[in-house]
Amino acid sequence: MPEKKTARPLAIGAGVAVAAALLGLVSYTATKPEPRDAGSTGSAATVEQGPDDETTRALVKLARRETKDPLAQGRADAPVVIVEYADFRCGYCGKFARDTEPGLVKKYVEDGTLRIEWRNFPIFGAESETAARAAWAAGQQDRFWQFHAAAYAEGAKEKGFGAGRLDTLAREAGVKDLDRFRRDLAGEQAHAAVKKDQDEAYSLGATSTPSFLINGQPIAGAQPDTVFEQAIETAKAQADKKARDAK
């Protein structure tokens, strides 16, 4: 089950405002993934693969595709983009980061099919906010994904995200200039970057973490690998068809 907090919807454009109910509904109705066994394919109840309508197109445009975005991995022109809204204090976000994301990176990011774009969505208080800013600060030294791995390691959440702990995570992530890291963490740019991501998530009606958009189609919660793989394969097929039709 994704972890929830009351949403604060904000307007970031008419098309996205129309889309807000879609992610909000999926986020609200998400359920805990069923236990996996040899014959399980996982539940896709929270995946809404819809037509290429105005709502979906508005959500697709939320993929920033910035070439030098330190909080993203994968080609900027990849046919499929996952936008992930997550909190470092969220247990289910950690489950996704440890159990599912590495396989998606190996299978889809490395062959150019997939791009993953992170959005900081701190919803569990002051330490969530600070951890988000610390992750952003690590990204300024190109160590975001290493910080992400350290912060989501088994048992890391239980140690908290106080100032000393954030320094420890930065060291584990290979951040070289800790003084700069601390300045960046406390600076206006970090606050603004985290607020931008957070406002985007609230604008979409997201009420829980993790929440995802896969080429504009929403998924809520740390669903089984097969749910994400199915969504990526479907999005890739749709992107390929669109490219062929455009020729």
Side-chain angles (χ1 to χ4, degrees):
M1 176 182 294
E3 301 188 32
K4 300 180 181 179
K5 187 173 180 179
T6 303
R8 298 179 296 173
L10 303 170
I12 58 172
V16 174
V18 171
L22 182 59
L23 185 56
L25 175 63
V26 171
S27 183
Y28 178 76
T29 58
T31 57
K32 183 177 180 179
E34 295 296 326
R36 279 171 282 181
D37 56 35
S40 173
T41 59
S43 170
T46 62
V47 183
E48 297 290 339
Q49 291 291 351
D52 185 23
D53 57 14
E54 181 181 355
T55 296
T56 302
R57 289 194 295 272
L59 291 172
V60 167
K61 290 179 181 178
L62 291 176
R64 296 170 188 169
R65 294 184 178 274
E66 296 171 359
T67 304
K68 296 183 179 180
D69 182 357
L71 276 64
Q73 56 181 322
R75 288 170 34 187
D77 63 349
V80 183
V81 180
I82 292 180
V83 180
E84 176 186 1
Y85 301 91
D87 184 318
F88 285 104
R89 290 189 63 207
C90 163
Y92 288 101
C93 300
K95 177 178 175 58
F96 173 79
R98 292 188 301 273
D99 298 348
T100 300
E101 191 168 38
L104 299 182
V105 170
K106 185 173 182 61
K107 186 171 182 178
Y108 296 110
V109 173
E110 291 181 3
D111 76 356
T113 296
L114 179 66
R115 175 177 174 85
I116 300 174
E117 295 188 358
W118 171 272
R119 302 286 189 270
N120 277 302
F121 187 27
I123 60 175
F124 295 112
E127 284 201 356
S128 290
E129 296 268 359
T130 306
R133 288 188 280 110
W136 181 89
Q140 302 314 292
Q141 298 185 52
D142 295 320
R143 306 304 289 177
F144 169 79
W145 290 104
Q146 291 80 2
F147 185 96
H148 172 278
Y152 278 139
E154 193 72 53
K157 182 185 75 164
E158 288 71 23
K159 296 178 182 178
F161 294 104
R165 177 65 181 150
L166 293 175
D167 280 357
T168 297
L169 291 172
R171 292 189 188 95
E172 290 178 11
V175 173
K176 292 183 178 179
D177 189 338
L178 283 178
D179 288 336
R180 179 190 171 187
F181 168 77
R182 296 179 190 118
R183 289 195 304 271
D184 286 344
L185 187 164
E188 291 184 6
Q189 280 187 289
H191 283 84
V194 170
K195 186 176 187 300
K196 178 181 178 181
D197 289 353
Q198 190 177 47
D199 286 354
E200 181 177 291
Y202 279 132
S203 296
L204 291 169
T207 59
S208 63
T209 54
S211 290
F212 306 88
L213 296 173
I214 300 184
N215 278 19
Q217 307 296 340
I219 294 179
Q223 298 296 318
D225 299 4
T226 51
V227 172
F228 288 95
E229 291 171 359
Q230 174 190 336
I232 292 166
E233 296 286 355
T234 299
K236 173 66 161 55
Q238 291 172 343
D240 288 346
K241 181 178 184 301
K242 187 174 182 180
R244 289 194 301 270
D245 292 346
K247 290 182 180 180

